Each structure stands twice: as C-alpha cells, then as structure tokens.
Amino acid sequence: MKSEIAERIREINEELSDSTARLIAVSKTKPNEAIEEAYAMGQRAFGENKVQELVDKHEALPKDIEWHMIGHLQRNKVKYIAPFVHLIHGVDTEKLLKEINKQGKKNDRTLSCLLQVHIAEEDTKFGFDADEITTMLDAGIMDELQHIKICGLMGMATHTEDQAQIIKEFSGLKSLRDQLQQNYSHDRLELKELSMGMSGDYPLAVSQGSTLIRVGSTIFGQRDYNTK
Ligand SMILES: *Cc1c(COP(=O)(O)O)cnc(C)c1O
C-alpha cells in the first residue's frame, strides 16, 4: 500500500515547485517510523520543537537528516543540539544568541540561526520586535558572535481565518528581511531564509516569499499530546 505520508509530501512539493520555498516536515510527537516513511521518499529536512525529542531522533535515525529546531529554545539546552543541529529557527533573545555562539565555539561549528520576529497579534508568541534587531545589529553584535551565522527570519502569523491579516503579517516579515539585508552587511549575516507558513497558512506564506515552510499535521496527521 502506498504511504499516506509520502503522498502528502509529494503533493506539497508539487505545490512548491514554482516557488522559492522548501518543505520542512515537522515530525514533533511522531514516531521514528513516520519519519522513516518520509525519509524513504526523499525528505531530508525535519523539524522538532523539543530538545530531548530532537536529540533522541537524531541518535536513532539516518545521519544525513537535516534537523531543524523550530520551537522555543531554552539557553541551558543549547549544548545538547549544538553538535548536530542544521538550523535553529526560534532565536528570540540576545542572551540566547550568545549561548548559541558559546556552544558553537565549543563544538568548533558555526551555527546557523534565524531570528524569530513577533509578527502576530497574539502576545503569547515569542520573538524580537524589528527595533530590537536593529539595535542589536547597530551595536555590532555580529563581531562578537564568531560562531553564528544569521541566515534569515522566522515568524508565526496570527491564528485567524482572516487571510488579509495573515498576508499582511507575512509580507511585513519579508519587508523587514529585505530592509535588514539592505542596511547591514556582514560575512555572517546573510538573510536568505524566510521561515514562514505552517499547515494552516503555508499557501499564503509561499505567496509572500517564504523559503522554508514548516508543515506538520498536513503530512503526519493530527498530533495527540495525551499519549505522550
Ligand atoms: C508545530 C509547529 C509547526 C507545524 O504545525 P502544523 O500546524 O502541524 O503544520 C510549525 N512551526 C512551529 C514553530 C511549530 O511548533
């Protein structure tokens, strides 16, 4: 029987074929077998939001998987993922950047990060405001962060049915990216990536220039947190 997971991934990739976006399969709470099914049909980028789960899956699964840390990251846990993580999406404080830099140095790696920007109306979501980013960059933080490469921005839109609102938030994130790219130049600041769009809103994110969509439930089905 053909795998449902493989079929969903194939469909999404087809939708992305004319766009700049690439799919990150968000496998949080899902078993290794589900990841293996996706892997078998060529998917290599996976996203997780819990450090322990990310570490366990990295240990158990093929080593050519690109692991994306998409969730809120606590400073005291950076050390567990620093040896292998491909991209850290949710960097939302200067203190966290400094810790990631420290762990990058220890592991002799330059760690790729995205700055998470607060774009939603809800104030529960993490992230920088635009002026916090410019203040940090103006202060020359990149010179301090020898083991960090900032590759772009990440944002989560408001959970709403209002499509115009979502589009406004995604296009705002893209404008901020374009503006920062223009105003700051540094070897390790190259804002190519715009991580935006999840199951409920990725077509809108793609229409606004997303380069990385983070899609979980559309591929793997609803998550059941009660069994964890
Ligand atoms: C869980 C999660 C996703 C994927 O959500 P779906 O709605 O299942 O596609 C994307 N981004 C982040 C940051 C997440 O935590």
Side-chain angles (χ1 to χ4, degrees):
M1 205 184 73
K2 210 160 170 204
S3 150
E4 287 276 319
I5 290 173
E7 188 54 22
R8 294 291 93 77
I9 290 176
R10 195 191 57 72
E11 284 168 5
I12 295 171
N13 279 327
E14 207 167 276
E15 292 172 50
L16 298 183
S17 61
D18 297 330
S19 78
T20 51
R22 224 161 51 89
L23 171 65
I24 297 171
V26 176
S27 47
K28 63 191 189 193
T29 79
K30 300 296 176 183
N32 291 346
E33 296 74 56
I35 297 174
E36 281 162 347
E37 271 186 46
Y39 182 88
M41 61 87 59
Q43 180 68 28
R44 290 295 178 272
F46 292 89
E48 292 284 337
N49 72 338
K50 296 268 191 299
V51 166
Q52 189 59 54
E53 193 173 342
L54 180 53
V55 168
D56 291 345
K57 286 175 172 172
H58 168 257
E59 273 171 20
L61 289 160
K63 292 298 171 282
D64 61 341
I65 288 179
E66 267 181 26
W67 290 106
H68 293 251
M69 176 63 197
I70 63 169
H72 183 65
L73 178 58
Q74 287 172 292
R75 271 183 288 149
N76 60 358
K77 295 193 174 165
V78 175
K79 57 178 176 283
Y80 302 114
I81 63 171
F84 67 88
V85 70
H86 180 76
L87 181 62
I88 302 173
H89 290 234
V91 180
D92 59 354
T93 62
E94 191 172 329
K95 280 182 166 173
L96 178 57
L97 271 173
K98 288 181 175 164
E99 177 61 22
I100 295 169
N101 184 59
K102 185 172 139 195
Q103 297 302 330
K105 183 170 184 189
K106 274 193 186 163
N107 286 278
D108 197 20
R109 297 185 74 202
T110 300
L111 297 177
S112 295
C113 298
L114 304 180
L115 301 178
Q116 182 168 359
V117 182
H118 183 263
I119 57 172
E121 281 181 335
E122 295 129 12
D123 44 50
T124 52
K125 290 187 180 155
F126 299 104
F128 288 106
D129 291 324
D131 58 343
E132 292 176 311
I133 296 178
T134 52
T135 302
M136 222 165 50
L137 294 175
D138 287 340
I141 193 170
M142 292 312 299
D143 293 329
E144 228 180 291
L145 304 175
Q146 299 283 334
H147 290 268
I148 286 194
K149 188 167 179 224
I150 297 186
C151 305
L153 304 179
M154 180 267 209
M156 293 170 81
T158 305
H159 190 71
T160 174
E161 295 295 305
D162 182 351
Q163 306 229 330
Q165 174 69 28
I166 297 172
I167 287 177
K168 190 177 87 185
E169 292 171 2
F170 286 147
S171 74
L173 188 64
K174 181 174 189 297
S175 306
L176 176 62
R177 189 279 304 267
D178 294 346
Q179 183 198 322
L180 293 171
Q181 183 79 296
Q182 209 159 49
N183 294 348
Y184 297 92
S185 115
H186 196 283
D187 296 353
R188 282 172 285 99
L189 183 82
E190 197 183 343
L191 307 178
K192 285 183 303 198
E193 307 289 2
L194 270 177
S195 170
M196 54 188 202
M198 357 203 313
S199 290
D201 57 19
Y202 76 81
L204 298 178
V206 170
S207 78
Q208 300 308 307
S210 172
T211 67
L212 296 170
I213 61 170
R214 311 175 309 271
V215 178
S217 44
T218 295
I219 297 171
F220 296 108
Q222 289 304 317
R223 287 176 292 274
D224 182 359
Y225 288 99
N226 297 323
T227 61
K228 290 295 294 181

